[in-house]
Amino acid sequence: METSALLVVPGAPFPTDLVDPALLRKAIRTERRLRLCYRDEAGKASERVVWPFALVFFDRVRLLLAWCELRQDFRSFRTDRIVEAEVTEARYPARRQALLKTWHEAQEKRAEAGSC
């Protein structure tokens, strides 16, 4: 250990989730619409119905990737800003893998458009 060049320094704790991540995973696994009460960075609340397809661990936050019915586009939702969530009985019309593929293609297009 004394000769290792790799050091691990404690960082800030992850923000606390108000909604059990198991509920989000269930919605993803069963391909069910998810009704959310979400607060943005400024604390403004909105209600959304989303088609969740992935959980992402990014830096110090966890993100729920989903198709948002309100915005008619892909969105990412910080899990610590989800105030309430309800898995509905309604399945979303696309398969989870298809949504993930389409999201990935959209990310590639955005990256290409932003490159020099």
Side-chain angles (χ1 to χ4, degrees):
M1 289 291 289
E2 293 176 2
T3 61
S4 177
L6 177 63
L7 303 175
V8 178
V9 179
F14 277 92
T16 303
D17 290 335
L18 298 175
V19 172
D20 186 352
L23 182 74
L24 305 178
R25 290 192 305 270
K26 177 183 177 184
I28 292 168
R29 193 174 50 255
T30 60
E31 298 180 342
R32 303 286 180 196
R33 284 182 167 101
L34 190 61
R35 189 177 321 279
L36 301 178
C37 179
Y38 186 77
R39 293 200 181 273
D40 67 12
E41 186 176 9
K44 183 181 176 194
S46 65
E47 290 188 17
R48 310 286 181 101
V49 175
V50 301
W51 310 349
F53 59 88
L55 276 174
V56 178
F57 296 83
F58 180 74
D59 197 20
R60 306 298 308 162
V61 298
R62 289 172 288 269
L63 301 174
L64 176 71
L65 299 182
W67 175 264
C68 178
E69 291 184 357
L70 177 66
R71 301 292 184 220
Q72 290 294 295
D73 199 2
F74 291 106
R75 291 290 190 259
S76 59
F77 299 92
R78 284 183 46 161
T79 59
D80 61 303
R81 293 184 184 162
I82 298 173
V83 179
E84 294 176 21
E86 174 191 358
V87 179
T88 71
E89 290 298 317
R91 292 179 65 102
Y92 45 79
R95 298 301 309 231
R96 183 178 63 85
Q97 292 294 32
L99 286 172
L100 184 59
K101 181 181 178 195
T102 305
W103 173 83
H104 186 66
E105 290 168 352
Q107 296 304 305
E108 287 178 345
K109 285 180 185 177
R110 287 183 182 139
E112 289 171 5
S115 64
C116 297

